[in-house]
Amino acid sequence: MSVNRLTTVGTMFALLLGLTMAVTVSISEAKVLKATCSPTKGLNATIKKAKPGDVVNVTGTCNENVVIPANISGITIDGQGLTTINAAGAGPFAVHVLGTDITLKNLAINGGSIAVYVTSGASAIIDNSTVQGASSIGINITHNSVARIVDSAIQNNGGCGVNVTEGSAARVGYRSHVDTQASPNAILNNQYGVCVNRSSNARIVGSSISNNALDGILIDTVSHADVSGNTIDGNGRNGMFVTRNSGINLGLTTGPAIFQAANATTANNVSYGIACSLNSYVEGPLGSVNGTSGATQFLNQCVNATVP
């Protein structure tokens, strides 16, 4: 082996050793930080102190607009079922996520024009939380961001319960692609249940998407969703509506059963179970998805590739 190759190997080994040591130090130094919200004390100051791997255990009522800056990564904010975050003042967001690998769990997040705003390349998990009462959107995932939403209630928001937009992605109702059981959400009483639009994608699994004022699921403007094992009923227009060069796959042909399971309707949606327009498509098993006007409506060069 040449001296140059030995030098290169030695350099790579040193880099790997350095990375390993850095990871070990990072894990070993992870801490549990505590925050108690009160009229004079909020959560933001504690978040700014958090390092990768840290858990911020918070209690109380936080009447503030919580911001997780872009330089914060790999932290968990755990409300322990004892914490409410209320958007305050003129701030438009109750929780604004700019960091990466951020977990929000066991929280009640209320109000703002958008209750949880995940943006600008951010990534987040919303776990076992309630997101409600926003004037516009419950959870907005935008500008090339990623979010996973599990075991949560997204309800009573003025626009979309969950909105995935501008090149973003969401996984709704499961934790991992090898899961055999869903981690279901209840997405209820919003204007729309889940919206996926502007070149975005989502996989929506095992959740209850019901009693929203318009469509339970809206896929729009060159976007795509895999939709399986959900109960989609009682919505004020269609159970699912796909339009403007978009597509829906109703389950996959391989993988764990939760990704193959058909969707169901218990109480009819007001219009159709699935409606399609403007050069879009729907493919896969219809299950029992239905509406008062019928199971499906396909218009304007839509492709009907559904099966019973």
Side-chain angles (χ1 to χ4, degrees):
M1 182 180 291
S2 69
V3 173
N4 286 340
R5 183 169 175 77
L6 283 170
T7 302
T8 301
V9 171
T11 301
M12 291 176 64
F13 178 77
L15 288 170
L16 287 170
L17 180 61
L19 287 171
T20 301
M21 291 177 66
V23 170
T24 301
V25 169
S26 176
I27 292 172
S28 66
E29 292 181 352
K31 298 176 181 178
V32 175
L33 308 178
K34 293 185 179 180
T36 303
C37 288
S38 69
T40 59
K41 188 175 180 182
L43 179 56
N44 282 313
T46 304
I47 290 172
K48 290 176 182 177
K49 298 175 185 176
K51 305 297 183 185
D54 286 355
V55 176
V56 179
N57 282 342
V58 57
T59 57
T61 300
C62 308
N63 295 315
E64 62 180 327
N65 304 304
V66 173
V67 179
I68 303 166
N71 66 331
I72 300 292
S73 66
I75 70 166
T76 296
I77 299 173
D78 189 348
Q80 308 168 89
L82 304 170
T83 304
T84 299
I85 298 174
N86 295 318
F93 318 125
V95 178
H96 189 179
V97 180
L98 293 159
T100 55
D101 192 22
I102 306 300
T103 299
L104 307 170
K105 64 187 296 187
N106 304 321
L107 293 160
I109 303 172
N110 300 330
S113 61
I114 298 170
V116 179
Y117 189 46
V118 184
T119 187
S120 303
S123 57
I125 299 172
I126 295 93
D127 183 359
N128 195 38
S129 293
T130 300
V131 179
Q132 61 188 1
S135 61
S136 179
I137 297 169
I139 301 172
N140 198 28
I141 306 147
T142 183
H143 291 100
N144 301 300
S145 297
V146 178
R148 190 159 301 202
I149 304 161
V150 292
D151 293 326
S152 292
I154 301 95
Q155 59 193 22
N156 303 318
N157 297 290
C160 300
V162 176
N163 188 50
V164 190
T165 189
E166 296 185 327
S168 297
R171 302 296 177 257
V172 180
Y174 72 101
R175 297 175 186 275
S176 166
H177 69 279
V178 296
D179 285 0
T180 57
Q181 291 186 331
S183 299
N185 301 289
I187 304 173
L188 313 171
N189 300 314
N190 307 285
Q191 187 78 352
Y192 296 86
V194 180
C195 305
V196 185
N197 54 80
R198 297 187 180 183
S199 302
S200 298
N201 73 85
R203 180 176 287 177
I204 305 163
V205 175
S207 294
S208 176
I209 304 170
S210 302
N211 299 318
N212 299 286
L214 295 175
D215 303 308
I217 296 173
L218 171 65
I219 314 299
D220 190 8
T221 316
V222 198
S223 295
H224 175 266
D226 295 307
V227 183
S228 61
N230 302 282
T231 299
I232 304 171
D233 61 7
N235 296 291
R237 192 160 63 184
N238 304 296
M240 293 176 252
F241 180 37
V242 55
T243 186
R244 291 192 284 193
N245 300 289
S246 298
I248 292 176
N249 285 85
L250 301 171
L252 304 177
T253 57
T254 61
I258 60 170
F259 302 119
Q260 300 182 58
N263 301 284
T265 292
T266 302
N268 275 350
N269 301 285
V270 170
S271 295
Y272 293 91
I274 302 172
C276 180
S277 73
L278 296 175
N279 202 37
S280 298
Y281 77 89
V282 183
E283 179 179 16
L286 275 174
S288 64
V289 173
N290 211 342
T292 301
S293 298
T296 63
Q297 181 189 54
F298 285 82
L299 302 171
N300 311 114
Q301 282 101 33
C302 268
V303 176
N304 181 356
T306 59
V307 294

